[in-house]
Amino acid sequence: MPGCCSGISHGHSHGNSARTPAEMTIAEKTLTAILKPTGLLKLAEALHDSMAVIGLSWGLLAFAGVASITRWAPPAYINTAIAVVYLTLGLPALVDVMYELARGAVNMHVLTTAAVFGTVYLGCAIEGCLLLALLATAHLVEERLTATAQGNLKALWDSVPSTANLVSLFAEDGSPDLSRCQNVAAAEVEVGSYTLVRAGEQVPLDGEVIYGAALVSTQHITGEALPIPKRIGDEIPAGSQVTDSVLVIKTTRSSEDSTPMRIARLTAEAQKSRPEVSSFLNKFSDQYSRVVLGLTAVSFAVLVGVGQLPINGPGGALYRALAFLSAAAPCALLMTPLAYVAGIAACAQRGILVRDGLTLEKIASCNTIALDKTGTITTGIMKCVAIEPMDKTPGKQYPPQEDTEALAVATAMERLAVHPIADAIVECGVANDVPNVRIEEFKTYPGKGVEGLATVKGMRPTRVRL
């Protein structure tokens, strides 16, 4: 059917599910009171954005289209298939339009749905089914892509614990009094409180380190793959993970004002903001829809009053007015935002969080991009490729297997450490099948290295620092 294609990002809510009672108009509340007892609202919500329903509708549409052309199926079967499509896809669309009109919105969704149902009167019910299937499929794609982009933030929310371990400090040395440690809800922790975070635990609230030193991973917050050393006086965002020691952190922000919550607010703002093209199309489509619906009503009145045409029947005033309405619904314009949604979702699948569609537009004008190296343009996975002596010869290669004794000591030491460099050395030692070395008095110095007594077979214990 000319002039009608599938759209996306209609700018409408499904029924009244996206609006609270306080936001609803009197007309919306009245409509809800009328429809709810009938069960239509519940049925329409169940049919909305259902992959099974849309798949069934496409199957029935294909059957009806082929059968009507080849005439291999009775008309009753074809009409039944068409009726099922209008019921499963048309009912949710019709309920949406009723709520749009109840809140005083006349937009492209209203225009397109009116054109869809107008095709029935025009004797083009199969074309109307096609429009319904395209619209439903486009909206499903938008919902799934948006959910994919939002779903990639789940790791961030999961990284923030819901509880915190409150402690008090000894006045003598500022160390935590573990006998008075209390586990409470993170939302109840006041600014200025002291929280204890052990190795392997996530930081519950933004704060400042006042006791201890440790390697801390901020991968979910900053994207930095390698843990970074944190000492007294350093700030740590909520959601960070302490990897190898114990820290006491003085809370500097409440749960509602923590780094993850601020990211959540930015995300919500991003979802409300629209690219310039999308904003223009939304404004244009609303005005265009009102004009087309107005011209449809005017043309019907003129054809009846001036043209002296009958109201019903082929060639009648209603037939011609609806034909104009169907042809004038340019819902293909609404396909443009799909490019932004698909682009943001594709970036999210690759670990890139794009704030909004406007950001994608601005990237087009960029000629210089600054990237954090580790984990972005590099993997963050290290490899031990050489062990060089202090008196090395310039230009000479020193592969690790040439000094198995040094590699064995380093491997034994790094087995007890938690760091990407330690992982690389241990992997190299295992690959070269180095002998076991006994390690005693092992200590870790976050951000500096490790120390211990190494006993190589046949030798006395030697203090080693790496």
Side-chain angles (χ1 to χ4, degrees):
M1 184 141 191
C4 293
C5 301
S6 69
I8 198 161
S9 188
H10 309 301
H12 66 280
S13 60
H14 301 316
N16 65 339
S17 60
R19 291 164 65 87
T20 64
E23 297 173 326
M24 295 172 64
T25 64
I26 296 177
E28 287 180 278
K29 294 178 180 178
T30 303
L31 183 59
T32 301
I34 295 174
L35 295 180
K36 194 171 184 179
T38 66
L40 289 178
L41 280 182
K42 189 174 182 180
L43 178 60
E45 192 66 29
L47 295 174
H48 253 306
D49 298 333
S50 169
M51 184 175 295
V53 170
I54 294 175
L56 173 64
S57 299
W58 275 110
L60 293 174
L61 176 60
F63 164 76
V66 174
S68 63
I69 295 174
T70 61
R71 302 184 183 278
W72 61 270
Y77 289 4
I78 299 175
N79 294 335
T80 300
I82 293 174
V84 171
V85 175
Y86 271 93
L87 174 64
T88 55
L89 299 183
L91 176 61
L94 182 60
V95 170
D96 279 353
V97 167
M98 293 170 66
Y99 274 98
E100 295 279 9
L101 295 175
R103 68 175 64 104
V106 179
N107 50 34
M108 189 64 75
H109 179 232
V110 175
L111 175 61
T112 303
T113 304
V116 166
F117 286 96
T119 59
V120 178
Y121 183 84
L122 296 175
C124 303
I126 293 181
E127 286 82 349
C129 287
L130 177 61
L131 291 178
L132 283 173
L134 288 172
L135 288 169
T137 302
H139 197 272
L140 176 65
V141 171
E142 180 188 24
E143 292 293 326
R144 293 300 173 90
L145 290 176
T146 302
T148 299
Q150 294 173 340
N152 282 271
L153 294 174
K154 187 176 184 297
L156 172 61
W157 316 139
D158 290 344
S159 70
V160 183
S162 59
T163 61
N165 295 316
L166 290 183
V167 295
S168 57
L169 305 180
F170 288 113
E172 297 80 11
D173 58 0
S175 61
D177 182 1
L178 299 181
S179 65
R180 301 179 61 184
C181 183
Q182 183 182 8
N183 187 263
V184 299
E188 299 176 0
V189 177
E190 298 181 355
V191 174
S193 302
Y194 301 117
T195 60
L196 177 73
V197 185
R198 303 179 181 89
E201 295 180 344
Q202 278 81 28
V203 177
L205 298 160
D206 290 2
E208 177 185 341
V209 178
I210 63 167
Y211 175 84
L215 288 173
V216 177
S217 171
T218 59
Q219 185 169 4
H220 291 312
I221 305 296
T222 65
E224 175 61 54
L226 293 177
I228 54 178
K230 292 291 184 179
R231 305 178 182 86
I232 294 176
D234 291 341
E235 293 187 353
I236 298 183
S240 303
Q241 183 177 31
V242 178
T243 63
D244 63 347
S245 190
V246 175
L247 297 178
V248 175
I249 300 173
K250 182 179 181 180
T251 303
T252 57
R253 293 190 182 92
S254 65
S255 176
E256 285 297 316
D257 198 34
S258 66
T259 298
M261 288 301 296
R262 283 182 287 155
I263 293 176
R265 285 193 288 269
L266 285 174
T267 303
E269 293 173 5
Q271 292 171 354
K272 294 178 181 178
S273 64
R274 294 181 177 273
E276 295 178 5
V277 173
S278 180
S279 299
F280 168 76
L281 289 178
N282 282 340
K283 295 178 182 178
F284 172 78
S285 65
D286 288 352
Q287 297 174 358
Y288 180 84
S289 300
R290 297 186 184 97
V291 171
V292 170
L293 290 172
L295 289 177
T296 300
V298 171
S299 64
F300 174 74
V302 170
L303 290 172
V304 173
V306 179
Q308 300 296 315
L309 293 177
I311 295 178
N312 295 315
L318 183 58
Y319 184 96
R320 293 171 183 265
L322 289 176
F324 167 76
L325 174 65
S326 299
C331 18
L333 290 174
L334 299 179
M335 284 298 292
T336 303
L338 177 59
Y340 294 96
V341 175
I344 292 174
C347 289
Q349 288 177 335
R350 291 163 174 80
I352 304 170
L353 177 60
V354 179
R355 188 175 187 273
D356 52 25
L358 186 60
T359 302
L360 291 179
E361 287 187 344
K362 298 301 183 183
I363 290 177
S365 60
C366 289
N367 51 29
T368 303
I369 299 178
L371 298 174
D372 176 65
K373 180 179 70 67
T374 306
T376 305
I377 56 177
T378 63
T379 63
I381 301 175
M382 299 184 178
K383 185 177 181 181
C384 179
V385 296
I387 298 179
E388 298 179 348
M390 297 296 292
D391 56 347
K392 65 178 181 178
T393 301
K396 182 180 178 181
Q397 300 296 319
Y398 296 91
Q401 58 269 26
E402 287 192 3
D403 194 342
T404 56
E405 183 177 307
L407 181 57
V409 173
T411 300
M413 293 282 288
E414 299 295 3
R415 284 185 191 276
L416 303 174
V418 180
H419 194 279
I421 294 177
D423 294 340
I425 294 174
V426 172
E427 182 181 354
C428 181
V430 172
N432 288 278
D433 194 24
V434 295
N436 292 328
V437 175
R438 182 180 177 183
I439 302 296
E440 299 176 295
E441 299 181 15
F442 178 81
K443 294 181 181 179
T444 298
Y445 298 94
K448 297 181 179 180
V450 294
E451 177 183 347
L453 285 176
T455 303
V456 182
K457 187 175 181 180
M459 298 178 61
R460 292 191 304 172
T462 304
R463 184 162 297 278
V464 178
R465 293 184 178 90
L466 295 176

